[in-house]
Amino acid sequence: MTAATWHIEEGVPYPMGATLTNEGVNFTLFSINAEKVELCLFDGDVETRLTLPDRVGSVFYGFVPGVRAGQRYGFRVYGRENAARGSCFNPQKLLIDPYSKKIDGKPVYRNEEELAWFHHADERDNAHIAPKSIVAGKSRFNWGNDKHPNTPWGRTVLYEAHVKGLTKQFPHLKHKGTYQALSDPRLVDYLKKLGITAVELLPIHQHLDEYHLQRQGLSNYWGYNTYSHFAVEPSYAVNPANAEDELKKAVRTLHKAGIEVILDVVYNHTAEQDGQGPMLCQRGIDNTLWYWLNGDGYYENWSGCGNTLNIVRRDVTRWAADSLRYWVEEFHVDGFRFDLGTVLGREPDFQAYGRFFQVVYQDPVLASRKLIVEAWDIGEGGYHLGNFPQPFAEWNGRFRDDMRAFWVWESGSLGAFAERLAGSSDIFCHSGRRPSASINFITAHDGFTLHDLVSYNEKHNVANGEENRDGHNENISYNHGVEGETYDIHVLNDREYTAKALLASLLMANGTPMLLAGDEFGNSQGGNNNGYCQDNSISWLDWPDKRHGLQTYVQELIAVRNRIRLLNEDQWWNEQRVQWLSSDGLAMGETCWHNRGIKAMQVLIDGEWLLLVNAKRSQQLFNLPQGQWEMSCVPSKKFNYNSAKCTVEHMGIWILHKKG
C-alpha cells in the first residue's frame, strides 16, 4: 500500500501501542489534556498524517489497514487551549510512541543549536531529524523448553554486571561487549563455577546520552537515561536489527545453566531531562500527566535527573506494568531491580501500599518474579529502607556502610556487625518479611570497586569532566597508607586482608548477597567512583591473565555458604540456632557488645559451623567451643590451630566446621 492510500478506521483502545494484526495495525496513545492526536506514517521522506478518530477516556485510537511490520511512525499531539499549567504541547515536534519496541534514529544534540530542534517551545517542524517508532513484527524466536530457574531466595547469589563492561575484555570471547558474548559457554561456565545464581544487568532498555555528555563527547555508559521502556538497547547487539533475538538467546543460555537474569530498570525519570531538555515523547504527549510538577508548572526533580515520572497516575501505572510484563513474557527475564524505588511509591509522599505496588502485587506475572528496589530518591523524606512491601526486596545500604565501617575504619562496633550479619532484623523483620528482603552488598556499580575501596581515601573522577565534583564524597574507604597503586608488600597484604574480610562478611551474612562483577579478581577503576560516563577501559572489567587469589576465595566462600543450612533456609536467626561467643568462648554479655575495644568474637551456627571474627590488624587468640573442628575456608594460612585454641595473625573471618 502506498502513502497516498493510507486511511484510518475505527480501532480498539487496548492493548496500548502499535498492535500488528493480519489486516493492519491498531494504534493507541493516552493523553488527558490533548484535544487531537495525529498518527504520522513515514515512507522515505513522505509523511502521511491521519487523525486518530476515536477516544475513550484518556485513550486516542484508530486502525490503519495494510500497515506491516517495519512501518515507521510517530505522533503529533495538539493540546486544549485551557490545558493545565506546565503543558508543553507542540505539534511541530514529532513524538515517539511510549510503547515503542523499536526506534529508527537517535536524537543528536551536541550543542545548543541541535538541542533547539527538540525544544518544546521551538516552532520549527523537526520530523526530518526526529527518530521514528517502528511497528514491531511478531517474534519467531525458538525458546525450546526454556523455563525460569526459580532459584529460592535463600540460595540466591546475585552478580551485578554491565553487558558491555563484563564481556568487552573477557579473554578469548567472540563478539565482545554484546548480548552474544553473554551466551558464550566460557563466560557462562565462569559464572557457574564461581557460584553465581543470578546476573543483575545494568539497564538494557534503549537509552540516550544526556545533552551535557553529548557536548563533552562522552556517553552514558551505565544507561540510566531510558528512552524507550519497551525497546532493547541496540548498541549491545552484534546486529542491532536483531538485538531482541540476541538478548533472548543470552537469557535462554543462562537459564539452561540455572542462572537467572534480573534487569536493572528506570521508571523514575525519562531521557527528556529538565525543562531545557529535549521533547521526545512523554513531555509532548501530556507533560502534566506524565511528570510530577510543582504549583508553578516546573518539574519536581526527585530523581536528580531533571524530571520525575508520576507513576501514581493511572495511565502511567498501566504503562509501567505493561512494560514490566512485556519483559517477563517476551524475554523470559526473572526479575527487576528498580532504580530510585522511592519514586514508585510517591503520591507525592511515600506510600508503602501505593498504586504501583498494589498493581504489581496483584499481577500474577509480575508478583512471582524477583523484585528488588533501591530504597531512596533525592526528594524530601526519600530514604525508606525497610518500608517497602512484599514481594519487594531492598538494596541494604546500612549493610554496606556498617560492614565498611567495621572492617575498613575498624569501628569496633560488634553490635552493628552482628545485626547486619544476622540479616538486619532491626530493619526487615516485620510484616512477615524474611531475611532475603535484605540485598546485602559491599560495593555496586555506583561507587568504588572493592579494590578501590581499600586502595583510595579520595575519589579520582577528573576524567568525568566535572572537576572531580561528581560522585560520593563519603565512601568509608581506606588506602592503607598509600593512595592508589603500590608495590609495597605490607600495604598490599593489609588491603587483601581487608578485602577478604568484607567478602566473607557479605557471603556469610543472612539475607541475599550481591557481588559486584570484578570484585572477585580485584578489578579497579583507578579511584573513579562514578564511572557512569566512562565507556572505556576505566569501567570495562580488566580480566586478569591468570587466576586471581580472590577468585578462589570467593568460590570457596559461596561453596561453604551453600553448605550452611541456616543461610539457605531464609529464616531469622534465634538463640537456639546461633550463639554469639567472645574470643574466650563464653556467651557475649552486655559489656562485650558495647566495648569498642573488643574487636573479636565467635559465631556458632547450628552447633556445626563456627566463624572466628577478628577485626584487628594484629594477632588474636580464640578459645574454641567444645568439639573437634576443622578449617573449612580461611583468608590465609597464617594461623596456629589445635583442638581447643586457634591463633590468627591478621584481620579476617576464619570458617570452621565440626567434625563428625
Side-chain angles (χ1 to χ4, degrees):
M1 184 173 288
T2 65
T5 59
W6 293 128
H7 70 280
I8 196 160
E9 301 175 353
E10 182 179 356
V12 292
Y14 197 81
M16 298 300 298
T19 304
L20 180 67
T21 70
N22 291 333
E23 292 76 32
V25 173
N26 191 78
F27 293 93
T28 64
L29 189 73
F30 67 81
S31 177
I32 291 176
N33 293 298
E35 67 173 2
K36 184 174 77 170
V37 174
E38 288 180 339
L39 168 67
C40 306
L41 302 174
F42 291 87
D43 292 275
D45 296 330
V46 178
E47 175 184 358
T48 301
R49 302 187 189 186
L50 302 171
T51 299
L52 293 181
D54 298 301
R55 177 177 185 174
V56 172
S58 60
V59 180
F60 294 78
Y61 60 97
F63 182 84
V64 183
V67 173
R68 298 289 181 257
Q71 175 65 50
R72 298 183 304 145
Y73 71 100
F75 295 106
R76 297 179 186 271
V77 182
Y78 298 75
R80 299 197 315 261
E81 290 185 4
N82 61 343
R85 176 180 292 183
S87 294
C88 295
F89 294 110
N90 183 348
Q92 295 297 96
K93 303 305 174 188
L94 187 74
L95 308 173
I96 66 164
D97 185 347
Y99 280 78
S100 298
K101 297 179 176 66
K102 281 180 173 292
I103 299 173
D104 177 35
K106 185 175 182 180
V108 175
Y109 24 82
R110 296 160 296 188
N111 51 55
E112 295 300 325
E113 181 180 351
E114 291 180 340
L115 181 61
W117 279 99
F118 294 94
H119 193 268
H120 65 87
D122 186 86
E123 296 182 355
R124 297 170 295 177
D125 191 311
N126 74 347
H128 64 293
I129 59 172
K132 283 82 177 173
S133 298
I134 299 175
V135 174
K138 297 184 183 300
S139 175
R140 293 183 173 85
F141 185 79
N142 182 9
W143 282 101
N145 60 354
D146 179 75
K147 60 182 179 179
H148 296 290
N150 288 326
T151 306
W153 272 110
R155 300 194 69 87
T156 296
V157 179
L158 299 169
Y159 189 77
E160 192 198 28
H162 186 286
V163 169
K164 186 174 185 179
L166 175 67
T167 63
K168 186 67 174 178
Q169 299 186 114
F170 192 96
H172 312 304
L173 285 189
K174 291 183 178 179
H175 308 303
K176 294 172 181 287
T178 69
Y179 303 119
Q180 285 202 27
L182 285 179
S183 305
D184 193 289
R186 286 163 291 194
L187 178 64
V188 176
D189 184 61
Y190 172 83
L191 295 172
K192 190 71 175 175
K193 287 182 177 177
L194 190 62
I196 300 303
T197 71
V199 290
E200 183 177 306
L201 298 176
L202 267 66
I204 54 87
H205 291 175
Q206 188 165 351
H207 66 270
L208 297 178
D209 304 323
E210 295 90 333
Y211 53 83
H212 76 276
L213 292 179
Q214 291 196 35
R215 284 199 298 265
Q216 298 180 72
L218 297 172
S219 62
N220 188 318
Y221 167 70
W222 285 350
Y224 291 95
N225 195 44
T226 305
Y227 183 31
S228 173
H229 294 73
F230 287 78
V232 176
E233 172 55 46
S235 67
Y236 302 151
V238 176
N239 177 8
N242 197 40
E244 295 80 11
D245 282 359
E246 290 186 26
L247 175 60
K248 290 174 182 178
K249 180 183 177 183
V251 173
R252 184 183 63 189
T253 302
L254 289 164
H255 279 181
K256 188 175 181 180
I259 298 173
E260 296 179 311
V261 178
I262 295 173
L263 302 185
D264 200 332
V265 291
V266 183
Y267 293 89
N268 59 74
H269 76 282
T270 75
E272 291 185 312
Q273 301 183 252
D274 59 21
Q276 298 305 310
M279 188 158 83
L280 308 167
C281 181
Q282 290 90 350
R283 177 174 287 151
I285 294 170
D286 199 337
N287 196 52
T288 62
L289 168 64
W290 278 93
Y291 297 114
W292 282 104
L293 306 178
N294 62 24
D296 295 322
Y298 296 110
Y299 294 109
E300 295 284 10
N301 189 21
W302 300 324
S303 68
C305 299
N307 64 63
T308 306
L309 279 168
N310 194 341
I311 291 292
V312 71
R313 299 298 291 268
R314 186 174 66 161
D315 292 291
V316 183
T317 302
R318 180 170 71 171
W319 163 82
D322 287 347
S323 170
L324 294 168
R325 199 180 306 107
Y326 172 73
W327 290 97
V328 175
E329 293 178 337
E330 188 69 23
F331 292 89
H332 292 201
V333 302
D334 302 281
F336 305 94
R337 179 265 186 187
F338 295 91
D339 183 60
L340 299 183
T342 293
V343 166
L344 305 177
R346 282 199 178 272
E347 299 190 358
D349 295 329
F350 180 80
Q351 301 295 324
Y353 296 97
R355 170 172 283 160
F356 176 81
F357 300 132
Q358 296 284 28
V359 166
V360 172
Y361 181 70
Q362 62 82 40
D363 190 310
V365 173
L366 300 179
S368 61
R369 299 298 95 219
K370 284 187 167 73
L371 303 172
I372 303 167
V373 294
E374 184 182 31
W376 71 285
D377 65 19
I378 70 169
E380 183 177 357
Y383 195 56
H384 284 276
L385 183 66
N387 294 336
F388 286 77
Q390 281 290 96
F392 292 87
E394 305 173 38
W395 270 23
N396 188 350
R398 286 281 301 280
F399 182 94
R400 172 199 61 204
D401 294 347
D402 286 347
M403 286 302 186
R404 286 187 182 188
F406 184 72
W407 294 110
V408 181
W409 280 3
E410 300 179 77
S411 69
S413 181
L414 287 173
F417 169 81
E419 191 70 74
R420 301 300 151 242
L421 191 75
S424 297
S425 62
D426 58 329
I427 300 171
F428 296 103
C429 187
H430 63 83
S431 306
R433 303 186 80 184
R434 293 192 173 187
S436 57
S438 175
I439 304 297
N440 301 327
F441 67 105
I442 301 296
T443 56
H445 68 275
D446 187 3
F448 280 144
T449 66
L450 180 63
H451 174 89
D452 292 354
L453 183 70
V454 299
S455 303
Y456 292 89
N457 286 347
E458 308 292 338
K459 63 185 182 182
H460 296 265
N461 297 354
V462 174
N464 295 354
E466 300 181 44
E467 298 181 346
N468 210 39
R469 293 190 300 267
D470 63 303
H472 298 294
N473 293 316
E474 303 297 329
N475 297 285
I476 318 180
S477 64
Y478 176 44
N479 65 17
H480 293 78
V482 178
E483 186 75 355
E485 301 308 309
T486 181
Y487 293 104
D488 188 314
I489 190 63
H490 299 292
V491 172
L492 292 175
N493 284 339
D494 284 346
R495 290 177 178 178
E496 179 184 342
Y497 299 148
T498 304
K500 286 185 172 180
L502 290 164
L503 288 168
S505 299
L506 172 66
L507 292 166
M508 291 298 104
N510 202 15
T512 307
M514 185 187 78
L515 181 70
L516 174 64
D519 276 357
E520 75 274 18
F521 56 78
N523 183 65
S524 173
Q525 293 184 170
N528 190 319
N529 75 348
N530 189 33
Y532 80 104
C533 59
Q534 298 300 325
D535 187 2
N536 51 49
S537 59
I538 291 176
S539 294
W540 303 338
L541 299 194
D542 186 15
W543 291 89
D545 295 330
K546 59 182 180 179
R547 190 169 180 82
H548 194 283
L550 283 183
Q551 287 173 292
T552 299
Y553 187 58
V554 169
Q555 186 174 347
E556 291 174 351
L557 284 170
I558 295 175
V560 169
R561 179 184 179 87
N562 290 336
R563 295 175 59 196
I564 300 176
R565 288 184 296 114
L566 185 56
L567 291 179
N568 301 156
E569 292 172 357
D570 197 15
Q571 299 293 329
W572 293 108
W573 293 3
N574 57 48
E575 60 185 12
Q576 284 73 44
R577 302 192 67 177
V578 178
Q579 286 78 53
W580 305 89
L581 309 175
S582 69
S583 59
D584 292 328
L586 305 175
M588 291 280 287
E590 286 297 314
T591 302
C592 295
W593 285 118
H594 297 292
N595 186 343
R596 288 183 177 268
I598 298 176
K599 296 186 177 182
M601 67 184 304
Q602 303 179 70
V603 186
L604 181 61
I605 302 174
D606 285 335
E608 181 183 3
W609 294 93
L610 184 64
L611 310 183
L612 307 181
V613 180
N614 178 30
K616 301 186 301 182
R617 302 188 187 277
S618 58
Q619 186 182 89
Q620 175 63 47
L621 170 66
F622 293 93
N623 292 320
L624 305 180
Q626 186 175 8
Q628 295 294 315
W629 300 94
E630 59 184 355
M631 289 292 176
S632 183
C633 184
V634 298
S636 81
K637 296 182 179 180
K638 293 184 177 181
F639 62 89
N640 294 305
Y641 163 75
N642 60 47
S643 59
K645 297 180 183 294
C646 182
T647 302
V648 301
E649 298 298 327
H650 56 75
M651 172 181 285
I653 297 179
W654 278 256
I655 305 171
L656 284 67
H657 183 242
K658 199 169 190 177
K659 294 181 179 179

